[in-house]
Amino acid sequence: MRRPLASLPLLPLLLLVASFARCCRAGSGGPGGAAPPAVPTIRPVLLNQTFIPHEYLRLSVVGKCCKINEILAKNESDKEAACTYSNSSKTEPFSPYFHEFNETGLLVPSIEENEFVAIIGDPCQFGRYILDPSENSDDEYYLLQNGSIWAPTPKPIMLMPGLDYCMEVVPTKGVQVLVCFSEKNEAAGTDALLTFYACGLLISVPFLLLTIAAYALTPRLLDVHGKALCHYCACLALAFATLAIVQLASSYTSDEICISIAFVIQFSFVACFFWLNVMCIETYLLVRRHVERGTSSPRIEPGRLFFYYSLWAWGPPAILILVSVIMDLNPTVPMTYVKPNFGANSCWFHSNQEAMPYFYVPVSMLVLINLALFALTALEITRYQRDLDLRRLARNQESDREEQRLFRRIKRVFFVCLGLFFLMGMNWAMELISWWAGGDPLAWSAFDLINALQGLIVFGLFVLRKPVRNIVWCRMQKLRGIQVSEPELGNMALSLLPVINGGDTLPREGIS
């Protein structure tokens, strides 16, 4: 069979044409034929240069933090943001949007300039922060063609290039505005306050551990209420220790360790609030069992009761931390969902919006439940106090006076737990109020400092007060082999706990 003579030379020619066409398509932006983003022409002017060349006066101006072909990225060694050379084609080019005013005084739509002047250098002497309108509407800004940035909210200000701000490409965030702190003491004062707060946390941790040791070595104190207090102190000690590490060494920790610490802080604080709720429930049931007359309801065995309390105190925090891990670390979860975003800015939630469903909502619910329990307990105490007064006036028997003394001890325990609740709950309530009010966080720092020293207050309330102090001292003497007499039950301010929890209450009669 014959073949045409032209068929053999045409085949390599067609292959050559097809290869050339494929290369042209690849060079024009990929399979879809889309053109790559245009890289503008940047006319650099150094920061310390006092004037802009005459031939550039017609161009728009912007401040740029780093040199040409450099971006602002974290340094792997010290985790500090620094200018880094980038030749990756995936990196967004430095092409900010400029605005201008028309004759009516209104802003016209933003545009990208093909050529502009960039004042190269970091003008910030005392630190800087990022304006992020996607996270906070108050960070809205407009870059004008003369290089100034107009930020209308919350208080209109004008930022000058090479003096008040600079812009740079940040990986995964694009072109960002970095505004300079105006004074040194603003950033330094915040750092000093965080350091002082971390030192307070570290001071509290040993006192919380001493509280646990005092109760663990004294079987007489390890009733249901005492065990709940030990678990509360353990969770608080873990939360304070990890939080102090974050405050003092966050810049030296890797992203993986930072995220892990954030999960530990979240779990320990939420569990701490649940154990505080257990203490509130037990205080209410203790008062109610003593107040109710003629009750025949069976008393739950203390071991089984504490098991139920443990399920309530550990179960919901475990579920919450599991949901947080799935939402934060699972890449299949859509970005439209609210994620914790641990490690984005610090070893905690990215912002209060992210913290709301994963921390503030469950904590606020527990605070409201505790408030309701304390209100019910106060009503029971008030009603029974009136009953005791009427009974004592009607009969004035010794049993009535003894019950009056026992009930005064119940009220002391109630007020101690109430103080612990306000100490723990009001700090977070003030943080929420400061966030909603939009005030300066430094103005609310007193509540943080009080909370940081909570370990000392807990140790003073539950160990140094009589009669726990006498019981613990007696136990320590016995462990050393020194025989001492047990403190009298009637002289103990907290003697009601083993008495009531054991089911032995004083007999009561109705008012005649």
Side-chain angles (χ1 to χ4, degrees):
M1 183 177 180
R2 284 182 151 186
R3 292 180 298 178
L5 294 177
S7 62
L8 288 177
L10 282 177
L11 182 59
L13 181 61
L14 291 175
L15 291 175
L16 181 62
V17 172
S19 301
F20 179 76
R22 188 181 300 110
C23 293
C24 291
R25 286 197 302 268
S28 63
V39 178
T41 302
I42 302 177
R43 303 300 181 182
V45 174
L46 297 181
L47 181 63
N48 55 4
Q49 189 171 336
T50 57
F51 63 93
I52 297 177
H54 181 75
E55 60 270 21
Y56 299 157
L57 292 179
R58 60 180 179 82
L59 301 177
S60 299
V61 181
V62 65
K64 190 176 187 303
C65 302
C66 304
K67 298 178 181 179
I68 307 299
N69 296 328
E70 287 187 350
I71 62 174
L72 196 63
K74 279 188 177 181
N75 193 338
E76 292 298 330
S77 59
D78 54 8
K79 298 300 179 182
E80 292 291 334
C83 295
T84 305
Y85 179 76
S86 175
N87 58 356
S88 175
S89 59
K90 297 181 180 179
T91 303
E92 178 180 342
F94 183 79
S95 181
Y97 288 89
F98 292 88
H99 297 76
E100 63 176 341
F101 290 95
N102 58 18
E103 292 79 3
T104 63
L106 299 178
L107 283 171
V108 301
S110 61
I111 58 173
E112 285 186 290
E113 299 282 3
N114 295 326
E115 183 181 8
F116 56 85
V117 174
I119 301 177
I120 306 297
D122 182 8
C124 301
Q125 301 180 18
F126 310 124
R128 56 197 179 187
Y129 62 94
I130 293 180
L131 290 181
D132 194 351
S134 62
E135 294 292 338
N136 189 354
S137 59
D138 289 344
D139 287 349
E140 179 185 10
Y141 68 88
Y142 300 92
L143 173 62
L144 307 182
Q145 290 184 330
N146 63 358
S148 301
I149 285 184
W150 179 50
T153 56
K155 180 181 178 181
I157 58 173
M158 192 73 74
L159 305 174
M160 303 302 295
L163 183 63
D164 301 319
Y165 83 94
C166 62
M167 300 182 71
E168 194 49 76
V169 176
V170 178
T172 72
K173 289 188 176 183
V175 180
Q176 299 289 315
V177 176
L178 291 90
V179 183
C180 303
F181 286 114
S182 58
E183 296 180 1
K184 184 176 181 179
N185 58 1
E186 183 174 356
T190 303
D191 294 339
L193 183 63
L194 291 177
T195 303
F196 185 69
Y197 178 64
C199 293
L201 295 174
L202 292 177
I203 292 173
S204 287
V205 170
F207 284 95
L208 291 169
L209 297 178
L210 285 176
T211 303
I212 298 173
Y215 276 73
L217 295 175
T218 311
R220 196 173 180 183
L221 299 176
L222 278 182
D223 56 356
V224 175
H225 197 281
K227 291 178 180 179
L229 176 64
C230 290
H231 283 75
Y232 169 83
C233 292
C235 293
L236 195 60
L238 178 61
F240 279 6
T242 51
L243 191 58
I245 292 174
V246 168
Q247 299 289 354
L248 296 176
S250 59
S251 59
Y252 303 101
T253 58
S254 63
D255 292 338
E256 293 77 12
I257 297 178
C258 184
I259 294 174
S260 302
I261 290 177
F263 284 120
V264 172
I265 294 175
Q266 180 195 15
F267 176 79
S268 54
F269 267 125
V270 173
C272 184
F273 275 97
F274 270 92
W275 279 110
L276 181 60
N277 179 248
V278 167
M279 297 171 63
C280 297
I281 295 173
E282 182 64 13
T283 302
Y284 168 71
L285 294 179
L286 184 150
V287 173
R288 185 177 179 182
R289 284 194 300 270
H290 183 73
V291 165
E292 287 184 347
R293 305 189 191 117
T295 178
S296 59
S297 57
R299 172 78 169 100
I300 302 179
E301 192 268 329
R304 180 179 299 179
L305 179 63
F306 186 75
F307 174 73
Y308 293 150
Y309 281 149
S310 299
L311 289 180
W312 167 246
W314 294 122
I319 296 174
L320 181 63
I321 200 68
L322 180 62
V323 173
S324 300
V325 170
I326 294 175
M327 294 295 293
D328 195 51
L329 303 181
N330 190 356
T332 62
V333 177
M335 294 301 296
T336 54
Y337 290 10
V338 180
K339 295 186 175 185
N341 287 326
F342 287 135
N345 289 335
S346 63
C347 301
W348 189 235
F349 294 98
H350 182 256
S351 66
N352 285 323
Q353 285 80 3
E354 282 84 1
M356 186 60 65
Y358 299 101
F359 187 79
Y360 287 124
V361 168
V363 166
S364 300
M365 292 176 61
L366 290 174
V367 169
L368 293 177
I369 293 174
N370 291 343
L371 280 175
L373 287 172
F374 281 122
L376 293 175
T377 307
L379 290 176
E380 293 282 353
I381 288 177
T382 302
R383 181 176 64 85
Y384 193 66
Q385 180 67 63
R386 186 168 57 249
D387 188 3
L388 285 178
D389 291 340
L390 292 176
R391 188 185 310 164
R392 184 171 59 85
L393 290 175
R395 299 179 310 178
N396 196 22
Q397 295 183 0
E398 180 63 27
S399 61
D400 297 330
R401 290 193 293 272
E402 184 65 25
E403 192 170 359
Q404 181 79 11
R405 287 191 291 269
L406 179 60
F407 198 69
R408 280 199 296 268
R409 301 179 191 125
I410 293 179
K411 289 194 294 185
R412 291 193 190 103
V413 174
F414 166 71
F415 285 117
V416 167
C417 292
L418 181 63
L420 184 63
F421 160 72
F422 276 102
L423 182 66
M424 185 69 183
M426 289 302 103
N427 173 69
W428 297 103
M430 290 301 105
E431 183 172 337
L432 277 175
I433 293 173
S434 66
W435 172 54
W436 284 329
D440 185 4
L442 295 177
W444 304 86
S445 58
F447 295 98
D448 294 331
L449 296 178
I450 294 174
N451 183 62
L453 299 175
Q454 189 175 160
L456 283 77
I457 301 175
V458 170
F459 184 76
L461 288 176
F462 291 95
V463 178
L464 294 184
R465 290 177 70 248
K466 289 183 179 180
V468 177
R469 178 181 63 193
N470 297 336
I471 298 175
V472 173
W473 177 253
C474 177
R475 180 61 178 172
M476 291 175 60
Q477 295 294 91
K478 287 186 176 181
L479 291 177
R480 294 172 56 190
I482 302 175
Q483 295 299 323
V484 293
S485 58
E486 291 282 347
E488 291 294 332
L489 187 65
N491 296 328
M492 293 169 32
L494 293 180
S495 61
L496 61 108
L497 292 178
V499 171
I500 300 301
N501 287 344
D504 299 327
T505 58
L506 296 174
R508 293 182 295 274
E509 298 176 2
I511 299 175
S512 54

